[in-house]
Every structure is written in C-alpha cells, then in structure tokens.
Amino acid sequence: MELRLALIGFGGVNQGLFELLLSKKDELRKYGIDTKITAVTDLRLGTVTNPSGISTDALRASIQAGLSAIPLQADPGTSVTPDSDLDATLKLIASDFVDVVVEATFTDPQTGEPALSHCRTALESSKHVITTNKGPIALAQQELVSIANRNGVFLKYEGTVMSGTPVLRQISTTLRGCEVTGFSGILNGTSNFVLGEVAAGKTFDSAIQEAQVLGYAEANPAADLEGSDVQLKVMIMANALWGAGLCRDDVPCRGITGLTESEIRRAITEGGAWRLVGSARRSSDGTIVASVEPKELPAGHPLLAATGVTNAISFDTDVLGLVTVTGPGAGRVETAFAILSDLIDIGEKVIAGATEAAA
Ligand code: HSE
C-alpha cells in the first residue's frame, strides 16, 4: 500500500526522515509499505506540493538552498510557494492528496501551538498523524486520541519521549500484562550531555553551545536546562501508562542551572554523578506523584548508564522488577527513526484493517 506524506516542518528531523525514507525503501517494502512525499511546508522555507509525489532528486538538490530553490520549480507538477502561514498549512493538511501528516515543528510547552492545530485539523480531516512534537501530546493527548478514534485514524508519537529509542511502544506491546507502578529516567539528552561535559572540565556555557551545534538542544535551550522538556515527557509517559491526565502544574520541575560546576565535578570524584531525573509513581489508591529534579546518583545506579546524549528509563514492574531501556534520546536521524517506526506501525494496522474488511 502507498502512504502519501505531508511533512510539516522541514528542520533536522523531517530532513532526517527524508533521508531514511530513501535508504529504508526496501525495508519498508518488506511490510508492504510504499511512501510518497506529496507536501512539505516550513515556516522559514516555504511550501512545496505535488499530488503525484515530489521528486526526491529535486528535493534533495534543493534542501541545501531552501525549498523554493530552482530544482523544485523545474519539477513538473510541483507547486512552490515561498511562504507559509497557519491557514495555508491547515488547508494543506486537509488536502485529499495526504494520508499521513508528519508533524515535526518546534515545541511550545505553554500552548502546544501551532502543532496542536496541525494535529487537530489532520485528525479531524481523517489523516493519520505522526508527531515528534511534545507540546500537543503532553497538553492534549486525550482530546487528540478521541478525535483520532472518532475518525478511524491513528495518532502516533513514539519520538516524543526518547527519540528513536522505543519506550511508548514497549509499554503498549511487550510490557502488556505487567503492572508498571512507576518510572524514573534521564529523558533529556542536552542536559545530560552538558552535565557530562562540565564534569569533564568544560564550562556550562561552552557545553551548551556545543549541544546546540550538535543539534541536540531545543530552539530555546532553556527548555532543556530548566527541565520543562523533561516535564512534558513525564506527562506524556504518565498519561500513556495510566491515563493520568497530568498537567504541567502536577509535575514540579527544577532544572540543572542551580548546580555549580564544582558541585558537578565533585560528584564524579566520589564515584557518582548528577543527573536530571524525571519520574512518576502511582500508589495503590491511584494517586500519582511526579517530579523533575537534579539528583546525585551513587556509583552503580542503573541510570548512570546514560552518558552524553544517551537517555535511559527504568520501569518498576510487578512481574519483572526493574526494566531499564537505554538509547539515544535526541538527534535528527535518531528522532526521524521514531517516525519511520510509527509509519510501519500505521502501515501494518491499515493493511490488517483492509484485509479484515475484505474477508
Ligand atoms: N532537546 C531534547 C533533548 C531533544 O536534548 O533531549 C529531544 O526531545
């Protein structure tokens, strides 16, 4: 089956997806899935559409120069507009040549916008949605899931918590049957990278600059350092695990900027290390306690396995005890991989639904 994709936001993540779709074409075919990019829109770069599919060669050639570059204009059937605004984007999302909307714009932790409007319009227009954007999922997961269910489409957001490292799909597949009573994790690559670099002797400022250059940090790195990025991820996890309906006020949050460079270096000499830890726990009466705070972890603690930009999350389960998942938590291709895995999941479900309907 063919899935026609609209890429909303064409920064590192969706450019990474574009590359992955080319290199993983044969892999996708193993699952019976073919993809075609029919729309790309970005507030800075403009909009390109072609209902028959945008030529990948032209798109590749124009990425370096911005989307309105000549290779795309010369591509038959392709329409290029130099600008993009919310109304135009919403209209594009609802187009009949789009099956899956891939939302990878910046995260606004206060309102979730404009991503929330992108997701809502897509689901209301019966398009499947894949997003790596924490805003809409943390702030409006239940509303969006119910719109998706009402319209018979899927909402997938694996990349919102640990980029390509599977955590949400772990709890919805392989951990089913276990009761998860709590989790704690290193859920922000930038702050973890900065803590490691400072421990190794760098200043806070130069470590932050390096994280920005490497593409780990949010557009506003304060979200990484002050903890609001982890706060959103804790909300997403708690809501996915327990339907908790947590809002930001339910997750007290303190970042790493209150730590001193000497404090961070001292912990290393004593065998432990500071980490920014996001956690939540559900008691037997259903009460949920969640927080984001820096913690000095002792030598041998399982979360110390997460160094650099690596993330880790430990689930407390009734049957298995502690289950820890470690892997990349940021990066353009790593996050794009989460979209690819969501795409396979949607493709398989759509194919299974079509087979069932035909039987
Ligand atoms: N800025 C985030 C991080 C990206 O550093 O973890 C992934 O959410």
Side-chain angles (χ1 to χ4, degrees), residues 245-284:
L246 293 188
C247 62
R248 290 186 76 195
D249 286 347
D250 297 321
V251 187
C253 174
R254 192 156 50 87
I256 61 169
T257 52
L259 298 175
T260 63
E261 291 169 359
S262 56
E263 203 171 9
I264 293 167
R265 288 175 199 136
R266 182 212 22 92
I268 296 288
T269 64
E270 292 171 9
W274 283 92
R275 293 283 190 267
L276 182 61
V277 179
S279 58
R281 177 155 306 282
R282 186 169 69 158
S283 322
S284 48

Short mmCIF file of all heavy atoms in Angstrom, two decimals, residues 245-284:
data_model
loop_
_atom_site.label_atom_id
_atom_site.label_comp_id
_atom_site.label_asym_id
_atom_site.label_seq_id
_atom_site.Cartn_x
_atom_site.Cartn_y
_atom_site.Cartn_z
N GLY A 245 -3.88 12.02 32.93
CA GLY A 245 -4.37 13.38 32.69
C GLY A 245 -3.55 14.43 33.43
O GLY A 245 -4.08 15.47 33.85
N LEU A 246 -2.24 14.19 33.63
CA LEU A 246 -1.40 15.16 34.35
C LEU A 246 -1.25 16.43 33.53
O LEU A 246 -1.12 16.39 32.30
CB LEU A 246 0.00 14.60 34.60
CG LEU A 246 0.18 13.42 35.54
CD1 LEU A 246 1.68 13.18 35.79
CD2 LEU A 246 -0.53 13.65 36.86
N CYS A 247 -1.25 17.57 34.21
CA CYS A 247 -0.91 18.82 33.53
C CYS A 247 0.41 19.33 34.11
O CYS A 247 0.95 18.73 35.05
CB CYS A 247 -2.04 19.83 33.63
SG CYS A 247 -2.38 20.30 35.31
N ARG A 248 0.92 20.43 33.57
CA ARG A 248 2.27 20.87 33.98
C ARG A 248 2.34 21.16 35.48
O ARG A 248 3.35 20.89 36.12
CB ARG A 248 2.68 22.10 33.17
CG ARG A 248 2.95 21.75 31.73
CD ARG A 248 3.50 22.93 30.97
NE ARG A 248 4.89 23.18 31.28
CZ ARG A 248 5.53 24.30 30.99
NH1 ARG A 248 4.90 25.27 30.38
NH2 ARG A 248 6.80 24.45 31.30
N ASP A 249 1.25 21.70 36.04
CA ASP A 249 1.26 22.02 37.47
C ASP A 249 1.37 20.78 38.34
O ASP A 249 1.72 20.87 39.53
CB ASP A 249 -0.02 22.78 37.85
CG ASP A 249 0.03 24.22 37.34
OD1 ASP A 249 1.14 24.65 36.93
OD2 ASP A 249 -1.02 24.87 37.32
N ASP A 250 1.04 19.62 37.78
CA ASP A 250 1.12 18.38 38.57
C ASP A 250 2.55 17.83 38.63
O ASP A 250 2.79 16.84 39.32
CB ASP A 250 0.23 17.29 37.93
CG ASP A 250 -1.23 17.67 37.93
OD1 ASP A 250 -1.68 18.26 38.93
OD2 ASP A 250 -1.91 17.40 36.92
N VAL A 251 3.45 18.43 37.86
CA VAL A 251 4.83 17.90 37.81
C VAL A 251 5.81 19.01 38.22
O VAL A 251 6.30 19.77 37.38
CB VAL A 251 5.18 17.38 36.38
CG1 VAL A 251 6.54 16.69 36.37
CG2 VAL A 251 4.10 16.45 35.86
N PRO A 252 6.10 19.11 39.53
CA PRO A 252 7.06 20.13 39.98
C PRO A 252 8.38 19.95 39.26
O PRO A 252 8.83 18.81 39.07
CB PRO A 252 7.21 19.87 41.48
CG PRO A 252 6.20 18.84 41.85
CD PRO A 252 5.63 18.25 40.60
N CYS A 253 8.99 21.06 38.88
CA CYS A 253 10.12 20.96 37.95
C CYS A 253 11.26 21.88 38.34
O CYS A 253 11.06 23.07 38.55
CB CYS A 253 9.56 21.34 36.57
SG CYS A 253 10.80 21.45 35.31
N ARG A 254 12.46 21.29 38.43
CA ARG A 254 13.68 22.06 38.69
C ARG A 254 14.75 21.53 37.76
O ARG A 254 14.92 20.30 37.65
CB ARG A 254 14.08 21.86 40.16
CG ARG A 254 15.14 22.79 40.68
CD ARG A 254 15.04 22.92 42.21
NE ARG A 254 14.98 21.63 42.89
CZ ARG A 254 16.05 20.92 43.25
NH1 ARG A 254 17.25 21.36 43.01
NH2 ARG A 254 15.90 19.77 43.87
N GLY A 255 15.44 22.43 37.06
CA GLY A 255 16.45 22.01 36.09
C GLY A 255 17.85 21.98 36.69
O GLY A 255 18.02 21.93 37.91
N ILE A 256 18.86 22.03 35.80
CA ILE A 256 20.25 21.85 36.26
C ILE A 256 20.99 23.18 36.44
O ILE A 256 22.14 23.18 36.85
CB ILE A 256 21.06 20.95 35.30
CG1 ILE A 256 21.15 21.57 33.88
CG2 ILE A 256 20.48 19.55 35.24
CD1 ILE A 256 22.15 20.86 32.98
N THR A 257 20.31 24.30 36.15
CA THR A 257 21.06 25.56 36.18
C THR A 257 21.40 26.01 37.61
O THR A 257 22.25 26.87 37.80
CB THR A 257 20.29 26.69 35.47
OG1 THR A 257 18.98 26.72 36.02
CG2 THR A 257 20.21 26.47 33.97
N GLY A 258 20.76 25.40 38.61
CA GLY A 258 21.08 25.74 40.00
C GLY A 258 22.33 25.02 40.50
O GLY A 258 22.84 25.32 41.58
N LEU A 259 22.81 24.05 39.72
CA LEU A 259 24.02 23.32 40.14
C LEU A 259 25.26 24.13 39.80
O LEU A 259 25.28 24.85 38.80
CB LEU A 259 24.12 21.97 39.41
CG LEU A 259 22.99 20.95 39.65
CD1 LEU A 259 23.20 19.74 38.74
CD2 LEU A 259 22.95 20.52 41.10
N THR A 260 26.29 24.00 40.61
CA THR A 260 27.54 24.70 40.28
C THR A 260 28.49 23.73 39.57
O THR A 260 28.37 22.50 39.72
CB THR A 260 28.24 25.22 41.56
OG1 THR A 260 28.60 24.08 42.35
CG2 THR A 260 27.34 26.16 42.35
N GLU A 261 29.42 24.32 38.81
CA GLU A 261 30.37 23.47 38.09
C GLU A 261 31.19 22.62 39.08
O GLU A 261 31.44 21.44 38.83
CB GLU A 261 31.29 24.36 37.22
CG GLU A 261 30.51 24.98 36.06
CD GLU A 261 31.25 26.08 35.30
OE1 GLU A 261 32.40 26.40 35.67
OE2 GLU A 261 30.67 26.61 34.33
N SER A 262 31.55 23.21 40.23
CA SER A 262 32.38 22.45 41.17
C SER A 262 31.59 21.30 41.81
O SER A 262 32.13 20.21 42.04
CB SER A 262 33.00 23.36 42.22
OG SER A 262 31.98 24.05 42.88
N GLU A 263 30.31 21.56 42.05
CA GLU A 263 29.45 20.51 42.62
C GLU A 263 29.37 19.31 41.66
O GLU A 263 29.41 18.14 42.07
CB GLU A 263 28.07 21.13 42.78
CG GLU A 263 27.13 20.54 43.76
CD GLU A 263 25.90 21.46 43.92
OE1 GLU A 263 25.71 22.44 43.15
OE2 GLU A 263 25.11 21.18 44.81
N ILE A 264 29.24 19.61 40.37
CA ILE A 264 29.12 18.55 39.35
C ILE A 264 30.43 17.74 39.29
O ILE A 264 30.41 16.51 39.21
CB ILE A 264 28.78 19.18 37.98
CG1 ILE A 264 27.37 19.80 38.03
CG2 ILE A 264 28.87 18.16 36.85
CD1 ILE A 264 27.04 20.72 36.86
N ARG A 265 31.56 18.46 39.37
CA ARG A 265 32.87 17.76 39.28
C ARG A 265 33.16 16.96 40.56
O ARG A 265 33.72 15.86 40.50
CB ARG A 265 33.98 18.79 39.02
CG ARG A 265 33.91 19.32 37.59
CD ARG A 265 34.88 20.43 37.26
NE ARG A 265 34.40 21.13 36.07
CZ ARG A 265 34.38 22.45 35.92
NH1 ARG A 265 34.85 23.24 36.86
NH2 ARG A 265 33.91 22.99 34.82
N ARG A 266 32.73 17.48 41.71
CA ARG A 266 32.96 16.76 42.97
C ARG A 266 32.27 15.39 42.96
O ARG A 266 32.84 14.37 43.37
CB ARG A 266 32.45 17.60 44.16
CG ARG A 266 32.71 16.94 45.50
CD ARG A 266 31.70 17.19 46.60
NE ARG A 266 30.37 17.59 46.26
CZ ARG A 266 29.36 16.75 46.07
NH1 ARG A 266 29.54 15.44 46.14
NH2 ARG A 266 28.16 17.21 45.78
N ALA A 267 31.03 15.35 42.44
CA ALA A 267 30.29 14.08 42.45
C ALA A 267 31.06 13.00 41.70
O ALA A 267 31.07 11.83 42.11
CB ALA A 267 28.91 14.29 41.82
N ILE A 268 31.71 13.39 40.62
CA ILE A 268 32.47 12.42 39.81
C ILE A 268 33.63 11.84 40.62
O ILE A 268 33.89 10.64 40.59
CB ILE A 268 33.01 13.11 38.52
CG1 ILE A 268 31.86 13.58 37.64
CG2 ILE A 268 33.97 12.22 37.74
CD1 ILE A 268 31.10 12.48 36.94
N THR A 269 34.30 12.70 41.35
CA THR A 269 35.46 12.22 42.13
C THR A 269 35.01 11.23 43.22
O THR A 269 35.79 10.42 43.69
CB THR A 269 36.24 13.38 42.79
OG1 THR A 269 35.37 14.01 43.74
CG2 THR A 269 36.75 14.38 41.79
N GLU A 270 33.72 11.30 43.58
CA GLU A 270 33.21 10.38 44.61
C GLU A 270 32.55 9.14 44.00
O GLU A 270 31.89 8.37 44.68
CB GLU A 270 32.22 11.14 45.52
CG GLU A 270 32.93 12.20 46.35
CD GLU A 270 31.97 13.12 47.11
OE1 GLU A 270 30.75 12.83 47.14
OE2 GLU A 270 32.46 14.13 47.65
N GLY A 271 32.65 8.99 42.66
CA GLY A 271 32.16 7.77 42.01
C GLY A 271 30.73 7.86 41.49
O GLY A 271 30.26 6.98 40.78
N GLY A 272 30.00 8.91 41.87
CA GLY A 272 28.63 9.07 41.40
C GLY A 272 28.56 10.11 40.30
O GLY A 272 29.56 10.39 39.63
N ALA A 273 27.39 10.68 40.08
CA ALA A 273 27.25 11.76 39.10
C ALA A 273 25.87 12.40 39.25
O ALA A 273 24.91 11.76 39.70
CB ALA A 273 27.40 11.23 37.67
N TRP A 274 25.79 13.69 38.90
CA TRP A 274 24.50 14.38 38.86
C TRP A 274 23.78 14.04 37.57
O TRP A 274 24.38 13.96 36.51
CB TRP A 274 24.69 15.89 38.95
CG TRP A 274 25.01 16.38 40.33
CD1 TRP A 274 26.23 16.55 40.89
CD2 TRP A 274 24.05 16.72 41.34
NE1 TRP A 274 26.13 16.98 42.18
CE2 TRP A 274 24.79 17.09 42.49
CE3 TRP A 274 22.65 16.74 41.41
CZ2 TRP A 274 24.17 17.49 43.68
CZ3 TRP A 274 22.05 17.13 42.58
CH2 TRP A 274 22.80 17.50 43.71
N ARG A 275 22.48 13.82 37.67
CA ARG A 275 21.63 13.59 36.51
C ARG A 275 20.33 14.37 36.71
O ARG A 275 19.87 14.53 37.85
CB ARG A 275 21.27 12.10 36.38
CG ARG A 275 22.43 11.19 36.04
CD ARG A 275 22.78 11.32 34.57
NE ARG A 275 23.71 10.32 34.13
CZ ARG A 275 25.02 10.48 34.09
NH1 ARG A 275 25.57 11.61 34.50
NH2 ARG A 275 25.81 9.53 33.63
N LEU A 276 19.73 14.80 35.59
CA LEU A 276 18.40 15.40 35.66
C LEU A 276 17.39 14.25 35.54
O LEU A 276 17.32 13.61 34.49
CB LEU A 276 18.21 16.43 34.54
CG LEU A 276 16.86 17.14 34.54
CD1 LEU A 276 16.64 17.94 35.84
CD2 LEU A 276 16.74 18.09 33.35
N VAL A 277 16.66 14.00 36.60
CA VAL A 277 15.80 12.80 36.65
C VAL A 277 14.32 13.20 36.60
O VAL A 277 13.85 14.02 37.38
CB VAL A 277 16.08 11.99 37.94
CG1 VAL A 277 15.17 10.76 38.00
CG2 VAL A 277 17.54 11.56 38.00
N GLY A 278 13.61 12.60 35.66
CA GLY A 278 12.15 12.77 35.58
C GLY A 278 11.51 11.49 36.07
O GLY A 278 11.91 10.40 35.65
N SER A 279 10.54 11.58 36.98
CA SER A 279 9.95 10.35 37.50
C SER A 279 8.48 10.51 37.83
O SER A 279 7.99 11.64 38.00
CB SER A 279 10.73 9.87 38.73
OG SER A 279 10.71 10.87 39.71
N ALA A 280 7.80 9.39 37.93
CA ALA A 280 6.41 9.38 38.37
C ALA A 280 6.12 8.03 39.00
O ALA A 280 6.73 7.01 38.62
CB ALA A 280 5.47 9.62 37.19
N ARG A 281 5.24 8.04 39.98
CA ARG A 281 4.91 6.79 40.69
C ARG A 281 3.42 6.80 41.00
O ARG A 281 2.87 7.84 41.35
CB ARG A 281 5.74 6.75 41.98
CG ARG A 281 5.49 5.58 42.91
CD ARG A 281 6.70 5.31 43.76
NE ARG A 281 7.89 5.13 42.94
CZ ARG A 281 8.20 4.02 42.26
NH1 ARG A 281 7.41 2.97 42.34
NH2 ARG A 281 9.27 3.94 41.52
N ARG A 282 2.80 5.64 40.82
CA ARG A 282 1.38 5.56 41.14
C ARG A 282 1.19 4.66 42.36
O ARG A 282 1.65 3.52 42.38
CB ARG A 282 0.58 4.97 39.97
CG ARG A 282 -0.93 5.03 40.27
CD ARG A 282 -1.74 4.71 39.06
NE ARG A 282 -1.61 3.31 38.69
CZ ARG A 282 -2.50 2.65 37.96
NH1 ARG A 282 -3.55 3.27 37.49
NH2 ARG A 282 -2.31 1.38 37.67
N SER A 283 0.52 5.20 43.39
CA SER A 283 0.26 4.40 44.60
C SER A 283 -0.96 3.51 44.38
O SER A 283 -1.71 3.70 43.42
CB SER A 283 -0.05 5.30 45.81
OG SER A 283 0.73 6.43 45.78
N SER A 284 -1.17 2.60 45.33
CA SER A 284 -2.29 1.65 45.16
C SER A 284 -3.64 2.36 45.17
O SER A 284 -4.61 1.86 44.60
CB SER A 284 -2.23 0.57 46.23
OG SER A 284 -2.03 1.19 47.48
#
